[in-house]
Amino acid sequence: MHKLSKHKIYYIFSLLLITLSLLITSCGASNTGSTPTTAANSPSPSPSGASPSPSSQQNTPSASPTQANNGQESSQQHGKLWSDKPVSIEIYATVGSTEVGPPPKNWFWYDAVKKATNIDVKISWITDPSQYTPTLQTRAGANDLPDLFTTDRNTLQQLVQQGLVADWSPYLKYMPNFVKDRDVNELAKYGTFDGKHYGLVTKNAYPYKGIVIIRQDWLDKLGLKPPKTIDEYLEVMKAFTEKDPDGNGKKDTYGYTAFIDDNGQISGFDPFFAAFGAQLDWKFEKDQVVPMRISDQRRQALEFINKMVNEGVLDPDWKTQQGQDYANKWKTGKVGIFAGDWCAIFCRQGYQEFARANPNGKMVIIDPPVGPNGDSAAGTYSRLGNMYVMSKKAADAGKGEAIARLLEWIDTDGYYLTAFGQEEVNWKRDSQGHIVPGPKSYLDPENLVLTQLRAYAYKGTEEELRARYDNTYKAANGQTISVWSVYQRALKLPKLDTTNQAIIPPAPPEISADLTRTMAEAELKFATGQRPFSDWPNYVNQVKSMGLDQWTEMANQAAAEAGLIKK
């Protein structure tokens, strides 16, 4: 063998060092992942908000702990809704459907939120809606409010006075789609106190419901046309009462029915109060708010109801029956005209009960009565939906941004999952792209437990409303009922906007119970003829002296502060 010279040995050794250096560099690059994760090549979330399937992720390399901020995953990897630090948030909510209870502990929604936002959500469910506000007030008294909850303006005002809630203003930038989709800026004044945005008010996602119904088969049998004015209504009601429209040979039908609500107020007469311009409790004029319960218009409406009583067209049980008794009257086919909720009447369960009891019966929507001055409305509608509140304790703990991101997720990536459940399981899309029930339908009673937080997701879009109401069914008496067509008909009815009524504070607690009871009892007595209308001035003076004047001053102050009247 030839002995290598020192020069050749040095040359070979240098080549080996260069080759080894290149190998190390190449290995290092392959260990870090050759494809950066970007919006263009990362898996897109499904419309349901569920995480991508394993097959869609298998070619995407995972970052090592040292690359992900020493074990801390970042918003750059997960998107703008991700919280860099894990956050725990408590939501306080009522179940969407009381008959099925809260979701199970392993509800898919919790996992989806965690994967998308790094937020652990705990929901404190209230299964009895009547206990929602009392329980919330108890927790407020113990300075233990949940992080996120909904409430009404009056309860919010109390919490503001106690210093227990936070201003949303610093956090709106983290929820731009939520703010836009739900008209938050437009409705901000309804949740503002002392210049601070304590109540995150959203638009009403639920459809208008108030309608007037008439028995079309009774009209046909008696050769009558649908009534338009209050006088025409009275004539048709008399015919329905006196001319045996069901043909059974008995005097057992009535022109109209109503009831007494849980607060002792006469109910079911909305279209007649509206015909006299007296349906709402308060009237907003240019420079003042006027109480309508003591107005001449209210008296005139009560006089007309008294006329209905005297003419014998009212179901005699109306002054003692409650809401369920009232519903049973139209379901059994004993009344010809009534006011109600279009879905309670025409959605499958309600109308099927009517159809089974009335094989030849047919109900249709008609325009509400027109009063002497041209006033007319079938019911009322408010533009206000949910009012979201963040506790000050949560904001002080640094949870404000995460709460805003959570609501943004519910409005965007998590919308379909929250509103309708899992795609291809609870819902799917038909050939036209419409949302329709899946094999475990979101509409079936046993699956409602999976969308118990749907009220947080609902926006009131046409797609959403179609998913909830666009169905057609065959009634027990052979009629084909298109629920969507019923909804479209209801939308065309004249209605009263009650949005500004929300600004009015409740009556002072020291007078509220007595004042409410006195007005309810007086109106029932006037309507039934137990108290003569000649005594109306004395009634007005009585309720004014009981504190109505004080309440009116409070109403005017609140309206002026909200910019609804000029002072």
Side-chain angles (χ1 to χ4, degrees):
M1 294 181 64
H2 296 285
K3 188 173 180 180
L4 296 174
S5 66
K6 289 183 179 180
H7 178 75
K8 288 183 176 181
I9 292 173
Y10 179 80
Y11 177 78
I12 293 171
F13 184 71
S14 297
L15 287 175
L16 288 172
L17 284 175
I18 293 171
T19 302
L20 181 61
S21 175
L22 289 172
L23 285 172
I24 291 173
T25 302
S26 175
C27 291
S30 65
N31 285 339
T32 59
S34 58
T35 307
T37 300
T38 66
N41 58 38
S42 61
S44 299
S46 69
S48 66
S51 58
S53 64
S55 61
S56 68
Q57 294 177 316
Q58 60 187 9
N59 294 322
T60 304
S62 301
S64 67
T66 56
Q67 292 171 285
N69 195 21
N70 292 325
Q72 294 290 325
E73 296 182 280
S74 70
S75 58
Q76 291 181 337
Q77 293 172 299
H78 291 271
K80 61 183 180 181
L81 299 179
W82 182 263
S83 293
D84 288 342
K85 294 181 180 179
V87 182
S88 178
I89 292 174
E90 180 195 1
I91 297 177
Y92 176 78
T94 54
V95 293
S97 300
T98 57
E99 62 270 25
V100 293
K105 291 183 179 180
N106 63 345
W107 187 25
F108 54 75
W109 189 88
Y110 293 127
D111 187 52
V113 175
K114 177 66 175 178
K115 288 181 178 179
T117 65
N118 203 21
I119 295 172
D120 286 305
V121 176
K122 173 192 173 184
I123 303 180
S124 297
W125 294 103
I126 298 296
T127 56
D128 179 358
S130 68
Q131 295 304 306
Y132 182 88
T133 298
T135 303
L136 185 67
Q137 291 171 331
T138 298
R139 293 189 59 171
N143 193 21
D144 184 37
L145 283 178
D147 300 323
L148 176 66
F149 56 96
T150 60
T151 190
D152 59 85
R153 179 178 167 87
N154 295 330
T155 303
L156 174 61
Q157 185 172 21
Q158 296 171 12
L159 298 177
V160 169
Q161 292 169 348
Q162 293 173 274
L164 297 176
V165 293
D167 182 359
W168 281 97
S169 300
Y171 308 107
L172 298 183
K173 61 185 177 183
Y174 301 111
M175 48 199 303
N177 290 289
F178 184 97
V179 169
K180 178 183 177 182
D181 291 346
R182 297 161 194 263
D183 297 345
V184 167
N185 290 329
E186 177 187 346
L187 300 173
K189 61 186 174 186
Y190 298 100
T192 298
F193 294 90
D194 300 325
K196 293 190 176 180
H197 196 176
Y198 291 113
L200 194 69
V201 180
T202 59
K203 68 179 181 181
N204 191 349
Y206 289 85
Y208 169 76
K209 292 292 185 70
I211 58 174
V212 181
I213 290 293
I214 198 166
R215 287 288 297 270
Q216 181 65 51
D217 55 311
W218 288 9
L219 285 176
D220 294 342
K221 185 176 186 299
L222 300 179
L224 300 172
K225 295 181 179 179
K228 295 182 179 180
T229 66
I230 54 172
D231 291 334
E232 290 174 359
Y233 261 76
L234 187 60
E235 288 303 311
V236 171
M237 288 189 286
K238 288 173 67 175
F240 284 171
T241 304
E242 299 170 357
K243 296 185 178 181
D244 191 24
D246 61 358
N248 68 354
K250 301 178 182 179
K251 189 175 176 58
D252 59 353
T253 58
Y254 296 96
Y256 200 83
T257 192
F259 64 101
I260 305 299
D261 70 13
D262 293 339
N263 296 317
Q265 308 285 339
I266 58 177
S267 298
F269 292 107
D270 288 8
F272 296 104
F273 281 118
F276 289 91
Q279 168 57 19
L280 304 184
D281 288 343
W282 302 89
K283 182 179 180 181
F284 284 74
E285 297 181 347
K286 184 177 180 180
D287 58 357
Q288 66 176 335
V289 179
V290 179
M292 294 302 291
R293 292 290 290 272
I294 58 172
S295 65
D296 287 341
Q297 296 97 313
R298 189 76 174 187
R299 174 182 54 77
Q300 291 167 1
L302 290 169
E303 286 176 338
F304 184 80
I305 295 171
N306 178 245
K307 188 175 183 180
M308 293 169 66
V309 171
N310 293 336
E311 294 283 354
V313 303
L314 262 176
D315 163 24
D317 295 333
W318 78 270
K319 54 186 176 295
T320 57
Q321 67 187 6
Q322 295 184 316
Q324 188 56 53
D325 305 312
Y326 161 84
N328 289 338
K329 288 291 172 66
W330 64 258
K331 288 178 182 179
T332 55
K334 296 303 180 184
V335 293
I337 304 176
F338 62 96
D341 174 325
W342 65 259
C343 189
I345 298 163
F346 284 102
C347 287
R348 189 182 300 264
Q349 182 176 347
Y351 203 85
Q352 288 288 39
E353 291 182 49
F354 166 78
R356 283 190 288 267
N358 301 271
N360 299 314
K362 182 179 181 181
M363 297 191 294
V364 297
I365 300 173
I366 59 172
D367 290 338
V370 178
N373 296 317
D375 293 312
S376 182
T380 61
Y381 181 76
S382 173
R383 291 181 290 118
L384 307 183
N386 287 340
M387 177 186 282
Y388 296 88
V389 180
M390 182 194 308
S391 69
K392 185 175 183 298
K393 184 175 66 172
D396 290 345
K399 296 182 180 183
E401 181 178 333
I403 291 172
R405 293 184 189 277
L406 172 61
L407 290 176
E408 179 77 351
W409 179 81
I410 291 175
D411 186 79
T412 55
D413 297 353
Y415 166 73
Y416 292 100
L417 189 74
T418 310
F420 303 108
Q422 294 176 299
E423 187 175 4
E424 301 301 335
V425 178
N426 307 118
W427 67 279
K428 59 184 180 180
R429 293 191 183 275
D430 63 14
S431 59
Q432 297 178 307
H434 295 152
I435 296 173
V436 295
K440 296 183 178 179
S441 171
Y442 61 91
L443 295 174
D444 290 346
E446 64 270 22
N447 297 321
L448 293 175
V449 69
L450 303 176
T451 58
Q452 289 287 43
L453 201 64
R454 55 188 176 272
Y456 270 53
Y458 284 165
K459 308 178 191 181
T461 62
E462 181 171 334
E463 176 190 53
E464 178 185 293
L465 292 172
R466 280 188 175 276
R468 292 158 61 187
Y469 300 111
D470 191 2
N471 63 88
T472 301
Y473 64 90
K474 184 78 73 173
N477 60 5
Q479 294 178 47
T480 298
I481 305 297
S482 167
V483 178
W484 186 253
S485 296
V486 170
Y487 164 60
Q488 292 294 313
R489 175 70 175 94
L491 279 183
K492 297 177 181 179
L493 297 175
K495 57 192 72 69
L496 295 172
D497 188 340
T498 64
T499 303
N500 289 345
Q501 303 283 315
I503 288 293
I504 305 298
E510 64 272 16
I511 67 170
S512 179
D514 287 342
L515 188 61
T516 300
R517 183 181 63 255
T518 298
M519 289 193 292
E521 291 176 350
E523 289 197 340
L524 180 58
K525 288 180 179 179
F526 282 124
T528 57
Q530 294 175 284
R531 187 171 180 178
F533 284 96
S534 59
D535 202 33
W536 184 264
N538 292 330
Y539 160 67
V540 172
N541 291 332
Q542 178 188 13
V543 294
K544 281 186 172 184
S545 64
M546 291 180 66
L548 181 60
D549 282 345
Q550 177 188 352
W551 189 10
T552 302
E553 289 180 11
M554 295 168 57
N556 275 272
Q557 181 179 349
E561 289 175 354
L564 299 177
I565 61 172
K566 294 181 179 180
K567 278 293 187 181

